[in-house]
Amino acid sequence: MQKLFNITNETDHIVKIELVNGKKHNPLSLELIKELTNSLIQISSRKKVKVLIISSEGPGFSAGHDLDELRKNRNNKKFFNELFNECSNLMQTIMNLPQPVIAEVCGIAAAAGCQLVASCDLAVASEEASFMTPGVNIGLFCSTPMVAVSRNLSRKKIMEMLLTGEKLSAKDAVDFGLINHCVPPDQLHQKTLTIANIIASKPLSTVKIGKEAFYKQVEMPIDEAYKYTSEVMAMNMMEKDAYEGISAFLDKRSPSWNE
């Protein structure tokens, strides 16, 4: 069986998952989607892990779903339902993990590949990377990718991408809010690792509380969001790390986190 990705411990607190079918631009087959979902869940259960990175063997990040697989299952609606449901499950799993997930994007991220980038909490890309939802070009509108991408970009911009299938450059992806940074290719991994190390220096319990609260409140009406986050902050104040962090700041010393 072909290996689908490598898992590397960058540090005690940072784990990288690298897609390794670079010759085919790392297509998201049903098998890969299921294995990636399971691996993310397993890795997130490790006590020391504070950040996950999803990267890829070049030249592209991911071209999206495996078109050969789609064609082979042309009349199999059961397969398509499973594929798109499992893909949706992967994207939601990323959002629901307690640890932040960073996409490290070396090249083209198209369709479900773009969806994967948009589903990660942060994204760093090479200046040579580009992003697109080109399903309209092959008669398959990028309906599930647009769920994640439309929650990052403005409506007009994502509609333009969906309706034209045209590429968005890495620089424009930063400007429109799809990714956080674009850097020269030789600086990509170091930039990603720098951000991951900064996050890993924070208390895991606090980051976990904050990530969960962010995704819950962002879809709420503002009055509900404030009511919910007020309760979250009150609960957060009961954590040992909150007391330690405040005490360290007032005592002018470095904090000693619980994890």
Side-chain angles (χ1 to χ4, degrees), residues 72-112:
K72 287 175 183 175
N73 288 276
R74 180 175 178 269
N75 296 313
N76 189 350
K77 188 171 183 290
K78 182 179 179 181
F79 170 82
F80 293 136
N81 283 337
E82 182 182 11
L83 173 65
F84 298 127
N85 285 334
E86 288 292 343
C87 186
S88 298
N89 180 47
L90 167 61
M91 305 306 166
Q92 292 176 87
T93 295
I94 291 170
M95 292 175 61
N96 292 329
L97 292 178
Q99 299 92 344
V101 182
I102 307 175
E104 182 182 304
V105 189
C106 64
I108 184 74

